[in-house]
Amino acid sequence: MSERPQPNPDPATAPYWTGASQRQLVMPQCEACEAFHFYPRTLCPHCGSQAIRWSPVSGFGSIYSMTVVHRAPSPAFEGLVPYVVGLVALDEGPHLMSNIVNCEPADVHIGQKVLATFLELSDGVALPVFEPIDKKSS
Ligand SMILES: [Zn+2]
């Protein structure tokens, strides 16, 4: 089976991946207005400030949108289908796309509360993913 694609950090995204390798979800935060945003930008999308730092977030959020993938986009994902790709609205505001894991795809729904966890891809490389915190018992 081919390997799952690895992240390819650049200067704009390196802090995100460094945080993930330390099992911490970090997001760009404006030093002027304190608002978080994502993806990384050179100007705060809320107030236009250039003073951006990376700060830890709680990891709590809810599913804003989602889809269940049944057909693998590449051989690396063939062993994973069906799996859930969700757009997660973090409690701090930013939205990010990731996998919803540790649950049955049929049980995942919009509005569901989730918490960040980390999937180790290779030595020292971890992918932020999310798992439901209000799993239905079945
Ligand atoms: Zn701002």
Side-chain angles (χ1 to χ4, degrees):
M1 187 165 92
S2 26
E3 280 210 9
R4 194 168 164 149
Q6 300 286 306
N8 186 18
D10 62 25
T13 60
Y16 180 79
W17 296 110
T18 301
S21 72
Q22 297 161 355
R23 304 297 190 265
Q24 188 162 56
L25 187 62
V26 294
M27 287 279 132
Q29 184 180 25
C30 176
E31 292 184 1
C33 75
E34 309 263 294
F36 286 91
H37 63 271
F38 195 76
Y39 56 94
R41 278 164 266 205
T42 53
L43 295 179
C44 171
H46 307 284
C47 75
S49 169
Q50 294 183 14
I52 310 288
R53 62 167 179 253
W54 286 78
S55 304
V57 292
S58 66
F60 286 100
S62 60
I63 295 176
Y64 182 82
S65 182
M66 58 158 289
T67 189
V68 180
V69 176
H70 292 277
R71 188 193 301 211
S74 76
F77 292 88
E78 275 170 6
L80 300 174
V81 292
Y83 62 87
V84 182
V85 175
L87 185 61
V88 173
L90 295 176
D91 284 1
E92 289 83 359
H95 289 41
L96 75 161
M97 193 85 79
S98 187
N99 291 129
I100 312 300
V101 301
N102 300 335
C103 57
E104 288 300 319
D107 291 341
V108 179
H109 55 90
I110 288 169
Q112 194 167 24
K113 299 292 184 194
V114 292
L115 177 61
T117 184
F118 297 89
L119 183 66
E120 180 128 351
L121 291 182
S122 61
D123 195 29
V125 180
L127 181 69
V129 295
F130 290 85
E131 61 184 354
I133 53 178
D134 57 348
K135 274 183 234 181
K136 288 184 215 163
S137 51
S138 54

